[in-house]
């Protein structure tokens, strides 16, 4: 397969890129960090350096490829709101990095997927979007937007036989979560995350969520009546 992975210079995306390359696929690993891209190139991966929030640059870069079988749109970030300040600049940064970069990547990669015999688009959301979680006003909203986009694209791209998956990780140990200063139950390694994702992608699952012992708890809690969850959520707020 010819595979494009965004956010491949670090964390989950880097592990996925290395694993797909080791399986013998042609992998295009994208990111901004030049040194990380050079390391991936030294391992034999094809690389592309671009900021995915730059629409013109992204469209121009993707136009160099002739076709893509699998696109995993994984680039993203996480920042938390700390009240009493509701920092709208933080919200803009998170929306730009998570939602806009994904939308731009979709626009850029769709024409290439349409040239594949078995096209597959996978968007990386988060299990954080299952429930309103404290401090996640920006991050949770951005991942809820990605979930909606993936579910809608699954409907709209069906006539073209383009499979669409939504990937919802729980906590994965990466440079991003190393910044967190709160408990991260059932946190798994990037290798485990990559294994879950590649298995789910192979089956073209609509939703790839893991680790199940964590995501099923969140899914069950999401069925609680709203007011009940609000009471539980309030107990999680830092004193
Ligand atoms: N780790 C978790 O527990 C967890 C849980 C749920 C969901 N996720 C999601 O999984 C994805 C990967 O997370 P991670 O933990 O592996 O994070 P990470 O280690 O910080 O990696 C993030 C990647 O995204 C790239 N990126 C960010 N903004 C970009 C931009 N504007 N243009 C191009 N590339 C950009 C980074 O590239 P550069 O470093 O080259 O700039 C980096 O390769 C994210 O979407 C995250 O929200 C993670």
């Amino acid at each position: 397969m010819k595979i494009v992975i965004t956010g491949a210079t670090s964390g989950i995306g880097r592990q996925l890129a290395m694993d797909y390359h080791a399986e013998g696929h042609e992998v295009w690993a994208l990111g901004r960090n030049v040194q990380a891209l050079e390391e991936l190139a030294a391992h034999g991966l094809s690389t592309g350096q671009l900021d995915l929030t730059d629409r013109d640059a992204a469209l121009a870069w993707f136009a160099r490829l002739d076709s893509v079988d699998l696109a995993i749109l994984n680039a993203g970030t996480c920042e938390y709101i700390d009240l009493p300040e509701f920092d709208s600049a933080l919200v803009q940064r998170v929306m730009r990095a998570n939602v806009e970069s994904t939308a731009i990547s979709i626009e850029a990669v769709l024409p290439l997927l349409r040239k594949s015999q078995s096209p597959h688009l996978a968007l990386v959301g988060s299990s954080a979007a299952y429930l309103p979680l404290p401090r996640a006003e920006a991050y949770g909203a951005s991942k809820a937007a990605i979930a909606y986009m993936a579910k809608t694209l699954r409907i709209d791209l069906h006539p073209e036989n383009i499979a669409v998956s939504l990937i919802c990780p729980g906590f994965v140990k990466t440079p991003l979560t190393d910044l967190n200063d709160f408990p991260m139950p059932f946190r798994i390694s990037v290798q485990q995350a990559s294994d879950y994702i590649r298995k789910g992608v192979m089956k073209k699952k609509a939703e790839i969520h893991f680790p199940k012992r964590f995501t099923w708890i969140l899914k069950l809690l999401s069925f609680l009546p709203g007011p009940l969850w609000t009471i539980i959520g309030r107990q999680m707020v830092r004193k």
Side-chain angles (χ1 to χ4, degrees):
M1 279 196 292
K2 189 186 274 194
I3 302 172
V4 168
I5 301 172
T6 69
T9 48
S10 175
I12 299 169
R14 185 180 192 283
Q15 190 65 47
L16 276 173
M18 293 291 286
D19 288 345
Y20 275 123
H21 174 70
E23 287 174 4
H25 299 287
E26 178 184 345
V27 179
W28 283 88
L30 307 190
R32 294 171 299 187
N33 181 322
V34 176
Q35 195 187 333
L37 289 169
E38 282 172 359
E39 283 168 22
L40 289 166
H43 281 97
L45 284 78
S46 303
T47 59
Q49 202 241 339
L50 75 162
D51 183 337
L52 289 166
T53 62
D54 182 340
R55 181 172 176 269
D56 291 341
L59 294 181
W61 188 88
F62 274 87
R64 301 181 338 188
L65 303 182
D66 49 7
S67 71
V68 169
D69 301 305
L70 168 64
I72 302 183
L73 306 184
N74 157 81
T77 191
C78 180
E79 291 187 67
Y80 293 108
I81 293 278
D82 278 312
L83 294 175
E85 187 195 7
F86 189 88
D87 183 357
S88 63
L90 179 158
V91 180
Q92 283 180 316
R93 281 197 301 277
V94 171
M95 289 296 174
R96 203 167 289 142
N98 292 354
V99 183
E100 287 185 30
S101 80
T102 299
I104 289 168
S105 305
I106 293 169
E107 180 180 7
V109 83
L110 261 186
L112 304 170
L113 287 169
R114 289 190 171 109
K115 292 181 184 159
S116 165
Q117 296 297 311
S118 181
H120 191 175
L121 173 67
L123 309 190
V124 177
S126 171
S127 56
Y130 294 161
L131 282 164
L133 297 169
R135 302 173 66 221
E137 285 85 352
Y139 181 69
S142 75
K143 291 301 186 179
I146 287 178
Y148 198 100
M149 243 191 256
K151 290 172 190 174
T152 314
L153 283 167
R154 196 179 308 139
I155 295 169
D156 282 332
L157 291 175
H158 179 70
E160 298 185 67
N161 286 320
I162 300 179
V164 180
S165 296
L166 172 65
I167 299 170
C168 296
F171 290 112
V172 182
K173 183 171 169 30
T174 69
L176 196 64
T177 53
D178 284 343
L179 299 173
N180 292 346
D181 58 355
F182 52 81
M184 289 174 272
F186 305 114
R187 187 158 73 145
I188 60 172
S189 67
V190 282
Q191 185 62 70
Q192 288 171 298
S194 168
D195 292 346
Y196 281 121
I197 293 170
R198 285 178 293 117
K199 200 169 157 193
V201 163
M202 198 171 61
K203 294 178 179 169
K204 294 203 166 156
K205 286 185 127 186
E207 186 187 357
I208 301 165
H209 63 99
F210 58 85
K212 296 269 193 312
R213 59 192 181 279
F214 180 64
T215 50
W216 274 118
I217 292 171
L218 292 185
K219 278 176 181 286
L220 284 173
L221 288 171
S222 74
F223 289 120
L224 287 177
L228 189 52
W229 172 254
T230 306
I231 293 168
I232 297 171
R234 283 177 186 154
Q235 309 308 309
M236 296 164 68
V237 173
R238 292 175 185 204
K239 301 288 181 282

